[in-house]
PDB file of all heavy atoms in Angstrom:
ATOM      1  N   THR X  75      -0.262 -17.714  -0.142  1.00 85.00           N
ATOM      2  CA  THR X  75      -0.935 -18.309   1.023  1.00 85.00           C
ATOM      3  C   THR X  75      -1.717 -19.567   0.533  1.00 85.00           C
ATOM      4  O   THR X  75      -1.666 -20.619   1.182  1.00 85.00           O
ATOM      5  CB  THR X  75      -1.911 -17.326   1.694  1.00 85.00           C
ATOM      6  OG1 THR X  75      -1.129 -16.177   2.105  1.00 85.00           O
ATOM      7  CG2 THR X  75      -2.558 -17.926   2.910  1.00 85.00           C
ATOM      8  N   SER X  76      -2.454 -19.406  -0.550  1.00 82.00           N
ATOM      9  CA  SER X  76      -3.222 -20.526  -1.105  1.00 82.00           C
ATOM     10  C   SER X  76      -2.326 -21.718  -1.449  1.00 82.00           C
ATOM     11  O   SER X  76      -2.672 -22.862  -1.171  1.00 82.00           O
ATOM     12  CB  SER X  76      -4.045 -20.093  -2.302  1.00 82.00           C
ATOM     13  OG  SER X  76      -4.988 -19.147  -1.982  1.00 82.00           O
ATOM     14  N   TYR X  77      -1.240 -21.382  -2.103  1.00 88.00           N
ATOM     15  CA  TYR X  77      -0.258 -22.444  -2.468  1.00 88.00           C
ATOM     16  C   TYR X  77       0.191 -23.211  -1.232  1.00 88.00           C
ATOM     17  O   TYR X  77       0.230 -24.421  -1.247  1.00 88.00           O
ATOM     18  CB  TYR X  77       0.915 -21.825  -3.219  1.00 88.00           C
ATOM     19  CG  TYR X  77       2.057 -22.782  -3.425  1.00 88.00           C
ATOM     20  CD1 TYR X  77       1.980 -23.732  -4.466  1.00 88.00           C
ATOM     21  CD2 TYR X  77       3.161 -22.785  -2.593  1.00 88.00           C
ATOM     22  CE1 TYR X  77       3.012 -24.653  -4.652  1.00 88.00           C
ATOM     23  CE2 TYR X  77       4.171 -23.718  -2.792  1.00 88.00           C
ATOM     24  CZ  TYR X  77       4.137 -24.635  -3.802  1.00 88.00           C
ATOM     25  OH  TYR X  77       5.130 -25.536  -4.000  1.00 88.00           O
ATOM     26  N   ASN X  78       0.548 -22.470  -0.185  1.00 82.00           N
ATOM     27  CA  ASN X  78       0.998 -23.116   1.041  1.00 82.00           C
ATOM     28  C   ASN X  78      -0.139 -23.919   1.704  1.00 82.00           C
ATOM     29  O   ASN X  78       0.140 -24.965   2.254  1.00 82.00           O
ATOM     30  CB  ASN X  78       1.543 -22.091   2.029  1.00 82.00           C
ATOM     31  CG  ASN X  78       2.993 -21.722   1.728  1.00 82.00           C
ATOM     32  OD1 ASN X  78       3.853 -22.589   1.646  1.00 82.00           O
ATOM     33  ND2 ASN X  78       3.215 -20.454   1.472  1.00 82.00           N
ATOM     34  N   ARG X  79      -1.347 -23.422   1.634  1.00 77.00           N
ATOM     35  CA  ARG X  79      -2.456 -24.193   2.194  1.00 77.00           C
ATOM     36  C   ARG X  79      -2.605 -25.542   1.495  1.00 77.00           C
ATOM     37  O   ARG X  79      -2.754 -26.584   2.141  1.00 77.00           O
ATOM     38  CB  ARG X  79      -3.778 -23.399   2.066  1.00 77.00           C
ATOM     39  CG  ARG X  79      -3.904 -22.283   3.090  1.00 77.00           C
ATOM     40  CD  ARG X  79      -5.341 -21.837   3.188  1.00 77.00           C
ATOM     41  NE  ARG X  79      -5.428 -20.696   4.079  1.00 77.00           N
ATOM     42  CZ  ARG X  79      -5.407 -20.774   5.400  1.00 77.00           C
ATOM     43  NH1 ARG X  79      -5.249 -21.966   5.991  1.00 77.00           N
ATOM     44  NH2 ARG X  79      -5.537 -19.727   6.136  1.00 77.00           N
ATOM     45  N   PHE X  80      -2.563 -25.502   0.168  1.00 78.00           N
ATOM     46  CA  PHE X  80      -2.780 -26.756  -0.594  1.00 78.00           C
ATOM     47  C   PHE X  80      -1.587 -27.716  -0.436  1.00 78.00           C
ATOM     48  O   PHE X  80      -1.779 -28.927  -0.278  1.00 78.00           O
ATOM     49  CB  PHE X  80      -3.041 -26.487  -2.062  1.00 78.00           C
ATOM     50  CG  PHE X  80      -4.462 -26.033  -2.310  1.00 78.00           C
ATOM     51  CD1 PHE X  80      -4.738 -24.672  -2.485  1.00 78.00           C
ATOM     52  CD2 PHE X  80      -5.511 -26.938  -2.308  1.00 78.00           C
ATOM     53  CE1 PHE X  80      -6.064 -24.263  -2.699  1.00 78.00           C
ATOM     54  CE2 PHE X  80      -6.786 -26.517  -2.526  1.00 78.00           C
ATOM     55  CZ  PHE X  80      -7.094 -25.164  -2.732  1.00 78.00           C
ATOM     56  N   THR X  81      -0.368 -27.188  -0.479  1.00 81.00           N
ATOM     57  CA  THR X  81       0.773 -28.065  -0.410  1.00 81.00           C
ATOM     58  C   THR X  81       1.033 -28.590   0.981  1.00 81.00           C
ATOM     59  O   THR X  81       1.603 -29.665   1.142  1.00 81.00           O
ATOM     60  CB  THR X  81       2.059 -27.359  -0.909  1.00 81.00           C
ATOM     61  OG1 THR X  81       2.291 -26.187  -0.144  1.00 81.00           O
ATOM     62  CG2 THR X  81       1.931 -27.015  -2.388  1.00 81.00           C
ATOM     63  N   ARG X  82       0.602 -27.857   2.032  1.00 74.00           N
ATOM     64  CA  ARG X  82       0.807 -28.257   3.419  1.00 74.00           C
ATOM     65  C   ARG X  82      -0.439 -28.980   3.986  1.00 74.00           C
ATOM     66  O   ARG X  82      -0.404 -29.481   5.047  1.00 74.00           O
ATOM     67  CB  ARG X  82       1.174 -27.095   4.301  1.00 74.00           C
ATOM     68  CG  ARG X  82       2.308 -26.156   3.953  1.00 74.00           C
ATOM     69  CD  ARG X  82       3.571 -26.890   3.605  1.00 74.00           C
ATOM     70  NE  ARG X  82       4.734 -26.012   3.516  1.00 74.00           N
ATOM     71  CZ  ARG X  82       5.214 -25.445   2.448  1.00 74.00           C
ATOM     72  NH1 ARG X  82       4.609 -25.541   1.308  1.00 74.00           N
ATOM     73  NH2 ARG X  82       6.323 -24.695   2.482  1.00 74.00           N
ATOM     74  N   GLY X  83      -1.555 -28.935   3.234  1.00 72.00           N
ATOM     75  CA  GLY X  83      -2.780 -29.552   3.672  1.00 72.00           C
ATOM     76  C   GLY X  83      -3.283 -28.903   4.935  1.00 72.00           C
ATOM     77  O   GLY X  83      -3.677 -29.555   5.901  1.00 72.00           O
ATOM     78  N   SER X  84      -3.324 -27.567   4.953  1.00 69.00           N
ATOM     79  CA  SER X  84      -3.738 -26.781   6.118  1.00 69.00           C
ATOM     80  C   SER X  84      -4.832 -25.817   5.711  1.00 69.00           C
ATOM     81  O   SER X  84      -4.575 -24.825   5.085  1.00 69.00           O
ATOM     82  CB  SER X  84      -2.548 -26.061   6.701  1.00 69.00           C
ATOM     83  OG  SER X  84      -2.941 -25.182   7.705  1.00 69.00           O
ATOM     84  N   PHE X  85      -6.071 -26.097   6.187  1.00 70.00           N
ATOM     85  CA  PHE X  85      -7.202 -25.261   5.855  1.00 70.00           C
ATOM     86  C   PHE X  85      -7.886 -24.765   7.161  1.00 70.00           C
ATOM     87  O   PHE X  85      -7.798 -25.433   8.157  1.00 70.00           O
ATOM     88  CB  PHE X  85      -8.235 -26.021   4.985  1.00 70.00           C
ATOM     89  CG  PHE X  85      -7.659 -26.479   3.674  1.00 70.00           C
ATOM     90  CD1 PHE X  85      -7.069 -27.706   3.543  1.00 70.00           C
ATOM     91  CD2 PHE X  85      -7.647 -25.634   2.588  1.00 70.00           C
ATOM     92  CE1 PHE X  85      -6.537 -28.152   2.336  1.00 70.00           C
ATOM     93  CE2 PHE X  85      -7.099 -26.048   1.364  1.00 70.00           C
ATOM     94  CZ  PHE X  85      -6.538 -27.288   1.273  1.00 70.00           C
ATOM     95  N   SER X  86      -8.473 -23.590   7.078  1.00 69.00           N
ATOM     96  CA  SER X  86      -9.040 -23.019   8.260  1.00 69.00           C
ATOM     97  C   SER X  86     -10.570 -22.952   8.239  1.00 69.00           C
ATOM     98  O   SER X  86     -11.188 -22.700   9.273  1.00 69.00           O
ATOM     99  CB  SER X  86      -8.491 -21.596   8.494  1.00 69.00           C
ATOM    100  OG  SER X  86      -8.781 -20.798   7.388  1.00 69.00           O
ATOM    101  N   ASN X  87     -11.195 -23.225   7.114  1.00 60.00           N
ATOM    102  CA  ASN X  87     -12.635 -23.128   7.005  1.00 60.00           C
ATOM    103  C   ASN X  87     -13.257 -24.499   6.666  1.00 60.00           C
ATOM    104  O   ASN X  87     -12.759 -25.229   5.804  1.00 60.00           O
ATOM    105  CB  ASN X  87     -13.033 -22.115   5.919  1.00 60.00           C
ATOM    106  CG  ASN X  87     -12.513 -20.708   6.243  1.00 60.00           C
ATOM    107  OD1 ASN X  87     -12.712 -20.222   7.320  1.00 60.00           O
ATOM    108  ND2 ASN X  87     -11.855 -20.101   5.252  1.00 60.00           N
ATOM    109  N   GLU X  88     -14.404 -24.778   7.307  1.00 62.00           N
ATOM    110  CA  GLU X  88     -15.121 -26.008   7.081  1.00 62.00           C
ATOM    111  C   GLU X  88     -15.455 -26.221   5.595  1.00 62.00           C
ATOM    112  O   GLU X  88     -15.294 -27.316   5.065  1.00 62.00           O
ATOM    113  CB  GLU X  88     -16.457 -26.015   7.800  1.00 62.00           C
ATOM    114  CG  GLU X  88     -16.509 -26.515   9.240  1.00 62.00           C
ATOM    115  CD  GLU X  88     -16.201 -27.970   9.420  1.00 62.00           C
ATOM    116  OE1 GLU X  88     -16.671 -28.848   8.644  1.00 62.00           O
ATOM    117  OE2 GLU X  88     -15.483 -28.230  10.397  1.00 62.00           O
ATOM    118  N   GLU X  89     -15.896 -25.150   4.943  1.00 64.00           N
ATOM    119  CA  GLU X  89     -16.312 -25.308   3.504  1.00 64.00           C
ATOM    120  C   GLU X  89     -15.185 -25.644   2.582  1.00 64.00           C
ATOM    121  O   GLU X  89     -15.418 -26.178   1.508  1.00 64.00           O
ATOM    122  CB  GLU X  89     -17.053 -24.021   3.024  1.00 64.00           C
ATOM    123  CG  GLU X  89     -16.214 -22.790   3.052  1.00 64.00           C
ATOM    124  CD  GLU X  89     -16.244 -22.002   4.340  1.00 64.00           C
ATOM    125  OE1 GLU X  89     -16.724 -22.495   5.383  1.00 64.00           O
ATOM    126  OE2 GLU X  89     -15.801 -20.848   4.316  1.00 64.00           O
ATOM    127  N   ASP X  90     -13.958 -25.367   3.035  1.00 62.00           N
ATOM    128  CA  ASP X  90     -12.795 -25.702   2.174  1.00 62.00           C
ATOM    129  C   ASP X  90     -12.573 -27.195   2.099  1.00 62.00           C
ATOM    130  O   ASP X  90     -11.946 -27.710   1.158  1.00 62.00           O
ATOM    131  CB  ASP X  90     -11.520 -25.014   2.733  1.00 62.00           C
ATOM    132  CG  ASP X  90     -11.610 -23.526   2.625  1.00 62.00           C
ATOM    133  OD1 ASP X  90     -12.393 -22.988   1.819  1.00 62.00           O
ATOM    134  OD2 ASP X  90     -10.861 -22.859   3.345  1.00 62.00           O
ATOM    135  N   VAL X  91     -13.058 -27.944   3.079  1.00 65.00           N
ATOM    136  CA  VAL X  91     -12.878 -29.406   3.107  1.00 65.00           C
ATOM    137  C   VAL X  91     -14.214 -30.124   3.172  1.00 65.00           C
ATOM    138  O   VAL X  91     -14.297 -31.250   3.652  1.00 65.00           O
ATOM    139  CB  VAL X  91     -11.967 -29.816   4.300  1.00 65.00           C
ATOM    140  CG1 VAL X  91     -10.567 -29.310   4.094  1.00 65.00           C
ATOM    141  CG2 VAL X  91     -12.536 -29.321   5.638  1.00 65.00           C
TER     142      VAL X  91
END
Side-chain angles (χ1 to χ4, degrees):
T75 303
S76 296
Y77 171 79
N78 278 304
R79 284 197 183 283
F80 282 102
T81 59
R82 308 310 194 266
S84 174
F85 299 92
S86 58
N87 299 310
E88 271 296 316
E89 63 271 14
D90 295 339
V91 293

